[in-house]
Amino acid sequence: MDEYEKTLSSIIVVQQVPEEETHCYGIIDSLTSDGRPLPGEKLR
């Protein structure tokens, strides 16, 4: 909540999970629609 209150924007938190557990989670693409890396922390 602290980060939202600072920016008044949505915050997405991600973490790596083992491939065999990906069916339990939502999966993101770490690139924008035109292929650029998302701003902010590096996603690996």
Side-chain angles (χ1 to χ4, degrees):
M1 286 301 286
D2 292 340
E3 290 301 315
Y4 173 79
E5 290 170 1
K6 287 181 200 172
T7 64
L8 299 179
S9 297
S10 298
I11 305 294
I12 298 173
V13 178
V14 297
Q15 69 180 30
Q16 288 185 314
V17 296
E19 179 122 9
E20 63 273 7
E21 293 179 20
T22 57
H23 68 280
C24 298
Y25 299 91
I27 304 300
I28 68 159
D29 186 349
S30 61
L31 300 176
T32 62
S33 60
D34 63 354
R36 293 178 294 129
L38 286 173
E41 295 291 322
K42 251 188 201 177
L43 301 175
R44 297 176 203 240

